[in-house]
Amino acid sequence: MRVNGETEIEGENRNTKEIEEIGEMGSIVGAEFAQPPVKLVVGYALTSKKKKSFLQPKLIGLARNKGISFIAIDPNQTLSDQGPFDVVLHKLPGREWCEVIEDYRQKHPEVTVLDPPNAVQHLHNRQSMLQDVADLNLSDSHGMVCVPKQLTITKDTLSIPNEVAKAGLKLPLVVKPLLVDGSAKSHELSLAYDQCSLSELEPPLVLQEFVNHGGVLFKIYIVGEAIKVVRRFSLPNISKRDLEKLAGVFRFPRVSCAAASADDADLDPSIAELPERPLLERLARELRQRLGLRLFNVDMIREYGTKDVYYVIDINYFPGYGKMPEYEHIFTDFLLSLLQSKYKKRPAT
């Protein structure tokens, strides 16, 4: 396999002109490296925001030391004319790009595409996003994983109060945009406290029953078979007394961001205790299989007053791994595991 210049790699010649995203300014630097030899070429097609947050200098440096080369993909050029690549990382908006990457995936089965665009699209709609979790019916000695009762509204604002009553949803309700397109707006959320305010909402949207959870959310990062869990501050509990006094729709800034880390906070152990590892491993394994994804995260809460009743409230493809502790080591190990898997699948000669 060849990429623009020549380096000997385990019996194959490979061009190694690298185009790397480095530093806070996102400057692109081209350089040739003889040491160590390149084992894995990773093409990436990411938004500028994702490049800046994910391709940090520490990741680039560690990857280079492990023989991993990151090369920018130009979405304005034919994808098959670029590379060749061992792995393609992608997160770009638009149906046209999805068609391009799916076509490439079909024509180049030897390349690992992270992740298949059809599987990614499944998470772009909050109506279908949590269905696989609901179908799991996951319950064992380590806990139970549910999804909040929810309702999808696509039109007719005035009918929302009636639809909510018919569905038997209890107030307050978390209001989220139906579609997830990577924009900040698609991650905004509101709380609707009374029936009358529901007619102020703007479809398309999803309404979820709010579950008290002690103001702490568990963000479960999944990278292949690796799992990393962090705590984030979330919305506080709402009592019946609060509900009697509050009315209207309240919009909240994006919750559970890295700035809202609760890992070092002095919290009640019953709230802060992480879900048991066997439960997380089973959840991750089942979702990897059902979703067909290897790069995603799960936002999960523990119902307040319980020890092991959890609710999955959101799933995101290729999340902000740059906010995940030790992400550089976890991600580079994952990429190298793909290489090892590929060699194992090769027929013996």
Side-chain angles (χ1 to χ4, degrees), residues 15 18 26 44 60 62 65 81 112 160 199 230 271 284 291 293 302 335 342-343:
N15 273 331
E18 295 184 315
Y44 63 88
I60 294 291
L62 181 62
N65 290 337
D81 292 342
T112 301
I160 296 177
S199 56
V230 297
I271 294 173
L291 297 173
L293 298 172
R302 177 193 288 115
L335 291 174
K342 186 177 290 189
Y343 284 144

Side-chain angles (χ1 to χ4, degrees), residues 16-206:
T16 60
K17 188 173 180 185
E18 295 184 315
I19 304 175
E20 298 177 350
E21 187 73 20
I22 298 178
E24 291 298 316
M25 296 176 66
S27 58
I28 293 179
V29 178
E32 292 189 1
F33 299 96
Q35 292 291 333
V38 175
K39 301 176 184 175
L40 193 74
V41 176
V42 181
Y44 63 88
L46 307 172
T47 62
S48 359
K49 181 181 177 183
K50 179 62 71 176
K51 282 188 283 189
K52 185 175 180 180
S53 68
F54 177 68
L55 288 171
Q56 297 178 24
K58 194 172 177 182
L59 173 67
I60 294 291
L62 181 62
R64 184 186 302 139
N65 290 337
K66 291 185 176 184
I68 301 169
S69 166
F70 285 101
I71 297 182
I73 291 171
D74 184 349
N76 297 313
Q77 301 295 325
T78 304
L79 184 51
S80 291
D81 292 342
Q82 301 177 65
F85 307 114
D86 297 302
V87 176
V88 168
L89 290 173
H90 70 97
K91 191 171 186 180
L92 288 177
R95 183 173 296 277
E96 186 178 349
W97 170 254
C98 287
E99 292 172 357
V100 167
I101 199 71
E102 180 58 33
D103 180 66
Y104 177 83
R105 183 170 164 264
Q106 296 298 327
K107 291 178 179 175
H108 297 272
E110 76 283 3
V111 179
T112 301
V113 174
L114 298 170
D115 272 308
N118 290 340
V120 174
Q121 287 295 315
H122 188 67
L123 297 187
H124 286 176
N125 186 308
R126 286 195 167 96
Q127 183 174 14
S128 59
M129 176 191 290
L130 300 183
Q131 189 57 51
D132 286 297
V133 182
D135 292 343
L136 273 180
N137 193 27
L138 201 164
S139 179
D140 60 23
S141 59
H142 302 288
M144 179 170 64
V145 179
C146 323
V147 297
K149 194 170 182 180
Q150 69 175 34
L151 175 68
T152 301
I153 304 291
T154 56
K155 55 185 178 180
D156 192 6
T157 299
L158 295 178
S159 71
I160 296 177
N162 187 46
E163 291 296 320
V164 166
K166 278 169 50 179
L169 266 65
K170 297 176 183 177
L171 295 164
L173 296 175
V174 181
V175 184
K176 300 179 180 180
L178 174 62
L179 301 180
V180 183
D181 58 11
S183 67
K185 186 174 178 61
S186 68
H187 290 283
E188 289 179 353
L189 64 83
S190 305
L191 272 181
Y193 288 98
D194 67 291
Q195 200 82 4
C196 294
S197 65
L198 296 175
S199 56
E200 301 171 14
L201 303 176
E202 298 178 11
L205 50 83
V206 166

Side-chain angles (χ1 to χ4, degrees), residues 227-287:
I227 303 169
K228 189 80 172 179
V229 187
V230 297
R231 300 178 191 85
R232 295 280 187 262
F233 285 116
S234 180
L235 300 178
N237 288 348
I238 300 171
S239 67
K240 289 183 178 180
R241 182 175 296 179
D242 292 332
L243 203 53
E244 289 171 0
K245 291 190 276 185
L246 295 168
V249 177
F250 289 79
R251 287 177 172 78
F252 291 86
R254 186 170 181 175
V255 297
S256 80
C257 63
S261 174
D263 279 330
D264 298 323
D266 184 15
L267 297 170
D268 182 335
S270 66
I271 294 173
E273 183 181 3
L274 295 177
E276 291 194 33
R277 191 75 187 179
L279 183 73
L280 294 175
E281 289 174 349
R282 184 179 170 194
L283 176 64
R285 183 174 61 251
E286 293 281 0
L287 288 181

